[in-house]
Amino acid sequence: MSSETLERIARNKNVARAAARQLSMEQLHKLSEVIVEVIEQKKEEDQQRKQEEADKERKLAEIREAMSDAGLSVEDLVGEPPRRRRGRPPKNATLS
């Protein structure tokens, strides 16, 4: 079953009913169990992602505070980017 088919089933109750008519009760119960497991796994992944984002924001705040206490700014940490040479490279230059 393609993801497009699953999306159609999820969006339209009549399409879901038509698809369910093709399955036995045992298959429907098994499908229900699998979907519940997938939903729980997705919730856990979302919760973990949110926790990681919160940790990252906390660490960034700590770093900003430490930089402020030290009197530093982002510009102090980032040097100038190297200047690019203008013009064409020599014809006989070999690439290494």
Side-chain angles (χ1 to χ4, degrees), residues 3 5 8 11 21 23 25 28 36 38 41-43 45 49 51 53 56 58-59 62-63 67 70-71 76 91 96:
S3 62
T5 305
R8 282 186 56 229
R11 280 188 263 122
R21 280 189 215 110
L23 302 174
M25 285 302 291
L28 286 172
V36 168
V38 169
Q41 182 181 9
K42 182 88 168 162
K43 282 181 184 178
E45 289 172 358
R49 182 185 49 80
Q51 182 64 41
E53 288 176 3
K56 184 176 179 179
R58 182 183 47 77
K59 289 176 184 177
E62 290 174 2
I63 291 170
M67 286 176 56
D76 294 332
K91 285 186 176 182
S96 28

Side-chain angles (χ1 to χ4, degrees), residues 31-48:
L31 178 62
S32 173
E33 291 172 5
V34 170
I35 288 175
V36 168
E37 286 179 25
V38 169
I39 290 171
E40 289 300 318
Q41 182 181 9
K42 182 88 168 162
K43 282 181 184 178
E44 290 173 6
E45 289 172 358
D46 287 347
Q47 186 177 10
Q48 183 179 0

Side-chain angles (χ1 to χ4, degrees), residues 2-31:
S2 70
S3 62
E4 291 176 6
T5 305
L6 288 174
E7 288 176 19
R8 282 186 56 229
I9 290 171
R11 280 188 263 122
N12 190 320
K13 195 181 287 188
N14 289 332
V15 174
R17 284 187 181 127
R21 280 189 215 110
Q22 299 173 6
L23 302 174
S24 69
M25 285 302 291
E26 183 179 325
Q27 290 171 322
L28 286 172
H29 285 292
K30 180 65 177 174
L31 178 62

